[in-house]
Amino acid sequence: SVIKAGHVVIVETATDTYKPMPVEGEAYAALPSGHAYAGVVVCSQPADKPFVGIMYDGEMNDVACPYPVEGIKAAMKTALPKLTFMHD
């Protein structure tokens, strides 16, 4: 019901459509074919009004993400080199 701050955002490259990264259980699923990492949600928003700010340059607390990023962190670092992962 809510797209939480820190959720990974992807973009469908053919249509330039931005979407939340899919989740499987308690972790991010694999990056869908034809998609690229776009950044992370800056501020939580209701899912029925998914107009979120996306951060692609700066520091993010990877421990505070709604789902663990360990499985996708290396690919995100390659796709978003200006996004730095830090934690308390």
Side-chain angles (χ1 to χ4, degrees):
S1 65
V2 173
I3 300 171
K4 295 181 181 178
H7 195 97
V8 176
V9 178
I10 59 175
V11 59
E12 186 173 9
T13 53
T15 62
D16 202 36
T17 302
Y18 290 77
K19 315 171 185 183
M21 178 75 170
V23 174
E24 244 175 43
E26 294 296 318
Y28 288 113
L31 182 67
S33 175
H35 290 73
Y37 294 106
V40 294
V41 173
V42 175
C43 186
S44 299
Q45 289 287 352
D48 62 344
K49 296 185 182 189
F51 307 107
V52 300
I54 301 170
M55 180 176 68
Y56 51 87
D57 182 355
E59 298 175 355
M60 69 174 280
N61 184 339
D62 55 345
V63 176
C65 291
Y67 300 97
V69 294
E70 288 308 314
I72 62 173
K73 190 187 287 188
M76 286 187 69
K77 285 182 178 182
T78 300
L80 304 163
K82 293 183 178 182
L83 187 63
T84 305
F85 295 88
M86 305 179 81
H87 52 269
D88 301 341

